[in-house]
Amino acid sequence: MSVPALSTDALVAGYERDLPIVRGIDFSVGIGELVVVLGPNGAGKSTLVKAIAGLVTIHSGAIRLGDRDITSAPAHEKVHQGLAFVPQTENIFTTLTVHENLLVAANILAKETRSRRISELYALFPDLAARPSLKAGQLSGGQRQMLAVARALIVAPSVLILDEPSAGLSPKVAADVFRTLKSINETGVTIILVEQNVKAALAIAHRGVILVDGKRRHEGPAATLAGDPIVAELYLGAHRAPPAVGA
Amino acid sequence: MSVELVSYGAFFLTIALTYAIMCLGLNVQWGQTGLFNVGVAGFVAIGAYVSAILTTPATESHLGGYGMPIVIGWLGGALAAALISFLIGALTIRLRADYLAIATFGVAVVVQLCALNLEPVTGGPFGIGFIPRPFAGLAGSPLAFSLLNLGVLIAVVAAVYLSLERLVRSPWGRVLRAIREDETAAFALGKNAVRFRLQAFAIGGGVMGLAGAVHAHFIGFVAPDNYVPILTFQVWAMLIVGGSGNNRGAILGAVLVWGVWTASAAAISVLFPPEQQARAAALQIVMVGLALCAVLLLRPRGLLGEVRVVSRYLDPSARRFPAQEIATDARKP
Amino acid sequence: MIAQAIMDGLIAGAMIGLGAIGITLTYSILRFANFAHGELLSWGAYIALALSDGLGYLSASLMLPVGPFSFGWSLPLAAILAVALTGTLALLADALLFGRLRAKGGTIIIMVMASFGAALTLRSLLEFLFSTKPAYYSKALQIALPLGGEMRATPDQLLTLGLAAVLVIAIHLLLTRSATGRSMRAVSENQQLAGIVGIDVRRIIRIVWLLGAGLACVAGIMAGLVVQIRPHMGHDLLLPLFAAAILGGIGSVPGAMLAGLIVGLSEAIAVQVIGAEWRAAVAFVILVAVLLTRPQGLLGRAA
């Protein structure tokens, strides 16, 4: 088997040493794969991806990007290595213009490629191209999310991680976001997606991983997970009656 | 000889205890509430001047000379400082945490300026003298005089200490600490955090004013030079050495730091020729500044540390859980 | 009279503005009010004094006044070195004190307190090294030139104004046009996100210290040139600096300069109207007025 795009090895992470939230997760994503991370509230999904991105203290275990160990690299260096992260909230600079948001991210590229890369992204996101000098704080929710994704793609990452990109969006706009992610994935970018919107996420994903209590509980191909009763059960808690469907 | 030694000791302790009162006032603001006051000297000066104006005998040289009883002067000084604290707090407590610090710094500058320039009120650069001292009739017998004065101060410190301890342990004090440790928790309790902070800031300022008044009546005069930034700094050093949040520590810190301060000042006057003494005094402040920074880095809770009164009422480990984890736990059967 | 007060106010305001830019930059990136900023002004002035005297010792011709100015080439040369050294001093303070507290997760107020301790240490160290006696860059006397109307200013004062204007424009362009400036604005809005988009936040923090300290050094040298050099000069300017930074709006460079001029002019006018002894109260009155009516400042965004 080839080297995965990204993998974690017995990862333990959290905000306080005596209270790890991610409690030993082995997790790996193949090159070109779109994996969705699912789980009930507090399962540690968000903490897992933040730890991978370098925002949460890692107590033990390892993270590898391709065959490189990036466990202890600070957040800004992980970007240089090809790992891009889109947080759930506050994921754009509201006091900078749309164009400045892209410029700030493009700063780590070689000087001569910066403007070409930004025009490529404007071509991909015509909504942003239409308003480059608008302050990002004045964008709509969907546009903000698109800007955040565009900003992350600037560096042409090998792995793109998104924390609940559909949160707070109307179903129609969320569908747009998922469509965009699917097409980005089809260009060869590996994507890890944390989502509450189980159905929509599984619809575009190759594979789903379910976390409970900071551990990996279950996983499988997206197509089979969608109808898997275990998913519904894990979501609603073991003490509830299992036959609930469509969680 | 030994009589002199005892009366010097009593005098030293008397002055140290006036600093202890300042330190207790600062502890209400910083230790209990987390409000940063960089203008301690200003609030102390307000108390000192107000009390001096109220109690000195009639005079032409400055406002006042009302010749009132000392106790009235002390209360007046405390009230005036509390009022100014209240106004400054009302202006800044809602804003960024350090705006209060900047504003209190401004208060100290302006009070110093008023003391210097409002000659008809404050006596200008020469200040106000002839401030009545308690038991002045006994001045002929130094031992009795200094011991009685020390007794008065011990009584004042004890009174302030006991009332503050009662306050800390009252529901009011518990809310105050909860606010300091975790603002969201405080709001969840349904209390108005700004109002509580403001009250604490005014009480602390009032205690500082009282300290200034008491201090003025023992040294017998007030002058602008008594209330320079180094005073603020000394009181901070005392509180930090004693451990912020801890009232007994505040008193102990005041006595300790004042002891080190007077001892090193004495050493400087012995060891250095007169023309070098100003420089040596500057070096003394450098040392205290470095020590303060070192304590912040190495022992941020002070040498004695904080008495965790609140922990009995609010389980701190429960509050430290991220909200998500609590949600998960609640779901467990 | 009033015309001259305006001239004096502009000169003082230019110095206050430069200092306030440093405060506003460090505040918006490091997120605390740095009470030691005033000491950077004093240290800058004294470092330049020591270097300038040293250069003059090496070659007396460097002390000969340049053109209409009161100082020789030793001062501009010393100033360049002093800017670098003051920047180094700020980086040192960050490495020894502020950076460590940041790494420990120190709260804003712990940082403010540490800066208060650092201020006292730095100020007293200057007193120890140079004594409290005022010092001057040059003993040469200057005659104030008539500027039309009733305004007069010495060549040194005019140079100060011109240099301040050039520096403000340069800093403004740096922040709005350059990649480093964009990164600085990004860090000031959201440090965590800045890291995620690939900005090395520690590098930006170092740049901000260097910029802030460099500007403080220039302001200190200016104050030393047109007034005098004393260990307390920075401390005495601290309240006007804070007032200007808050009046201008934290994070706004044009705001800090504009507010610096307002504070300087108000002080000069108050000196004429009320008396010189009340100068120091003007900044406090402005501060209280801003906090009462518009806490976010003239050009700032809501806090």
Side-chain angles (χ1 to χ4, degrees):
Chain A
M1 207 183 138
S2 63
V3 179
L6 183 130
S7 62
T8 69
D9 182 11
L11 191 70
V12 177
Y15 298 91
E16 287 177 54
R17 183 148 276 287
D18 46 342
L19 275 176
I21 296 169
V22 169
R23 304 190 300 173
I25 293 187
D26 297 314
F27 171 74
S28 106
V29 185
I31 293 169
E33 220 184 349
L34 198 170
V35 172
V36 55
V37 179
L38 304 167
N41 269 330
K45 309 181 295 281
S46 195
T47 310
L48 171 67
V49 288
K50 281 183 186 158
I52 294 174
L55 302 181
V56 171
T57 315
I58 293 163
H59 302 326
S60 65
I63 305 167
R64 263 180 284 279
L65 183 68
D67 49 9
R68 254 178 316 200
D69 187 319
I70 57 161
T71 314
S72 50
H76 68 95
E77 272 175 26
K78 292 184 175 176
V79 187
H80 289 253
Q81 318 240 9
L83 178 82
F85 177 59
V86 179
Q88 183 186 345
T89 54
E90 297 185 15
N91 50 21
I92 53 169
F93 296 108
T94 54
T95 54
L96 271 56
T97 65
V98 168
H99 193 64
E100 284 175 331
N101 266 277
L102 298 177
L103 277 173
V104 161
N107 211 25
I108 65 172
L109 301 175
K111 244 199 178 93
E112 53 284 1
T113 60
R114 285 177 200 164
S115 54
R116 183 166 47 84
R117 186 64 187 148
I118 291 177
S119 0
E120 283 170 16
L121 280 153
Y122 276 145
L124 210 59
F125 296 95
D127 238 18
L128 301 178
R131 39 183 78 76
S133 47
L134 190 71
K135 285 264 192 270
Q138 290 168 304
L139 295 174
S140 72
Q143 288 167 341
R144 282 172 180 237
Q145 215 54 264
M146 292 302 186
L147 177 58
V149 173
R151 184 232 84 213
L153 286 176
I154 285 264
V155 297
S158 58
V159 177
L160 173 64
I161 305 179
L162 302 103
D163 191 358
E164 297 201 27
S166 75
L169 300 182
S170 73
K172 188 178 159 302
V173 179
D176 272 352
V177 171
F178 284 121
R179 240 193 325 275
T180 309
L181 293 179
K182 182 74 188 161
S183 63
I184 291 167
N185 174 245
E186 279 160 2
T187 66
V189 180
T190 307
I191 294 185
I192 302 169
L193 186 61
V194 168
E195 258 306 330
Q196 296 280 10
N197 195 341
V198 181
K199 249 186 181 168
L202 284 176
I204 61 163
H206 298 118
R207 195 158 56 94
V209 174
I210 298 169
L211 305 185
V212 175
D213 272 344
K215 293 189 170 152
R216 194 180 57 169
R217 177 65 70 84
H218 190 65
E219 68 172 281
T224 57
L225 270 188
D228 194 334
I230 296 179
V231 177
E233 191 181 316
L234 288 176
Y235 258 82
L236 296 169
H239 56 293
R240 290 268 194 94
V245 267
Chain B
M1 185 64 201
S2 65
V3 169
E4 270 171 39
L5 209 61
V6 170
S7 56
Y8 178 78
F11 176 74
F12 165 81
L13 269 182
T14 307
I15 297 297
L17 287 178
T18 61
Y19 284 102
I21 306 174
M22 295 174 205
C23 216
L24 285 170
L26 187 60
N27 197 22
V28 178
Q29 296 179 340
W30 168 252
Q32 256 95 7
T33 325
L35 298 169
F36 191 53
N37 183 344
V38 193
V40 176
F43 296 95
V44 171
I46 291 170
Y49 271 96
V50 167
S51 185
I53 289 166
L54 289 176
T55 57
T56 42
T59 170
E60 297 286 298
S61 59
H62 61 84
L63 173 82
Y66 300 116
M68 291 184 188
I70 293 176
V71 174
I72 301 286
W74 289 3
L75 289 178
L79 279 177
L83 179 69
I84 301 288
S85 306
F86 179 84
L87 293 177
I88 286 296
L91 183 66
T92 49
I93 280 180
R94 277 159 230 278
L95 306 172
R96 301 177 195 235
D98 30 16
Y99 280 14
L100 176 70
I102 297 171
T104 53
F105 178 74
V107 169
V109 169
V110 171
V111 167
Q112 172 77 213
L113 212 59
C114 289
L116 269 174
N117 296 331
L118 280 180
E119 254 187 85
V121 180
T122 62
F126 303 109
I128 301 175
F130 304 110
I131 300 176
R133 296 155 72 126
F135 312 107
L138 289 172
S141 147
L143 186 61
F145 178 66
S146 47
L147 283 179
L148 277 170
N149 274 332
L150 180 59
V152 169
L153 253 215
I154 289 174
V156 173
V157 170
V160 173
Y161 170 80
L162 289 175
S163 358
L164 290 182
E165 282 290 306
R166 273 193 76 137
L167 263 180
V168 170
R169 281 160 220 280
S170 70
W172 183 85
R174 294 204 297 271
V175 175
L176 209 57
R177 287 219 187 190
I179 292 170
R180 191 198 65 178
E181 311 249 308
D182 183 352
E183 194 152 335
T184 33
F187 274 115
L189 290 169
K191 302 287 184 181
N192 180 345
V194 170
R195 193 162 46 97
F196 275 90
R197 286 181 158 159
L198 191 50
Q199 288 166 353
F201 193 70
I203 291 173
V207 173
M208 288 177 197
L210 173 68
V214 172
H215 184 82
H217 285 268
F218 284 101
I219 56 173
F221 71 99
V222 289
D225 279 353
N226 295 357
Y227 309 103
V228 287
I230 185 69
L231 172 63
T232 299
F233 196 65
Q234 285 168 328
V235 179
W236 269 104
M238 291 164 182
L239 184 61
I240 287 171
V241 166
S244 55
N246 179 338
N247 279 331
R248 254 168 296 174
I251 297 170
L252 186 66
V255 176
L256 268 178
V257 169
W258 184 241
V260 172
W261 187 266
T262 41
S264 60
I268 284 171
S269 67
V270 173
L271 295 176
F272 291 86
E275 65 276 12
Q276 293 297 328
Q277 282 182 10
R279 283 193 152 186
L283 208 55
Q284 186 189 5
I285 300 175
V286 171
M287 300 295 182
V288 179
L290 288 177
L292 179 79
C293 293
V295 170
L296 281 178
L297 275 173
L298 305 173
R299 284 200 63 113
R301 289 269 177 201
L303 298 183
L304 278 194
E306 177 168 5
V307 183
R308 296 197 135 261
V309 186
V310 188
S311 50
R312 274 184 271 131
Y313 304 95
L314 291 168
D315 179 13
S317 65
R319 284 184 297 116
R320 278 210 313 272
F321 272 86
Q324 287 194 338
E325 282 298 305
I326 293 172
T328 322
D329 286 354
R331 218 172 284 210
K332 280 180 189 157
Chain C
M1 264 325 234
I2 285 297
Q4 191 54 42
I6 290 173
M7 192 68 221
D8 295 343
L10 284 177
I11 293 159
M15 294 183 292
I16 295 171
L18 283 186
I21 291 173
I23 290 221
T24 214
L25 287 180
T26 46
Y27 197 146
S28 66
I29 302 274
L30 299 159
R31 290 159 202 284
F32 74 97
N34 180 11
F35 276 77
H37 196 79
E39 308 330 312
L40 293 175
L41 266 84
S42 323
W43 272 80
Y46 273 102
I47 292 173
L49 176 71
L51 291 173
S52 172
D53 285 355
L55 287 170
Y57 187 74
L58 291 178
S59 157
S61 65
L62 284 175
M63 296 295 266
L64 296 177
V66 183
F69 303 114
S70 70
F71 52 86
W73 279 110
S74 65
L75 184 60
L77 290 174
I80 293 169
L81 282 171
V83 165
L85 287 174
T86 313
T88 312
L89 177 69
L91 288 184
L92 198 68
D94 192 57
L96 291 177
L97 186 61
F98 301 118
R100 289 184 186 204
L101 289 172
R102 261 199 316 281
K104 289 176 140 196
T107 55
I108 292 177
I109 227 68
I110 293 286
M111 304 288 272
V112 173
M113 204 152 121
S115 77
F116 189 67
L120 222 104
T121 307
L122 288 171
R123 182 160 75 242
S124 302
L125 204 53
L126 274 185
E127 267 184 44
F128 174 72
L129 294 171
F130 294 94
S131 88
T132 48
K133 239 178 33 212
Y136 302 87
Y137 290 117
S138 155
K139 302 227 157 46
L141 280 177
Q142 274 205 309
I143 297 174
L145 311 170
L147 298 175
E150 288 173 14
M151 280 195 227
R152 287 174 160 273
T154 65
D156 284 2
Q157 291 175 325
L158 293 176
L159 177 73
T160 300
L161 270 183
L163 186 58
V166 170
L167 283 173
V168 172
I169 293 169
I171 298 286
H172 185 64
L173 288 179
L174 172 83
L175 273 180
T176 51
R177 303 290 161 81
S178 76
T180 303
R182 270 192 300 276
S183 298
M184 283 168 63
R185 283 186 288 145
V187 172
S188 107
E189 182 185 325
N190 186 337
Q191 280 200 13
Q192 193 169 56
L193 184 59
I196 294 171
V197 309
I199 298 169
D200 182 350
V201 175
R202 283 171 310 175
R203 179 177 152 266
I204 296 298
I205 287 176
R206 284 195 295 273
I207 291 175
V208 165
W209 275 119
L210 282 174
L211 261 182
L215 287 170
C217 174
V218 174
I221 295 174
M222 288 176 173
L225 188 62
V226 300
V227 193
Q228 55 180 206
I229 312 165
R230 290 174 304 116
H232 275 255
M233 60 193 284
H235 179 257
D236 292 345
L237 272 171
L238 195 56
L239 195 56
L241 294 189
F242 277 132
I246 293 174
L247 173 62
I250 293 297
S252 165
V253 167
M257 195 60 196
L258 179 69
L261 292 175
I262 293 174
V263 173
L265 284 170
S266 319
E267 283 188 351
I269 291 167
V271 165
Q272 292 294 328
V273 178
I274 313 171
E277 69 273 22
W278 292 104
R279 173 191 276 267
V282 174
F284 183 71
V285 173
I286 291 177
L287 182 72
V288 168
V290 184
L291 294 182
L292 268 178
T293 57
R294 199 178 155 79
Q296 76 273 32
L298 293 176
L299 304 182
R301 49 175 196 263

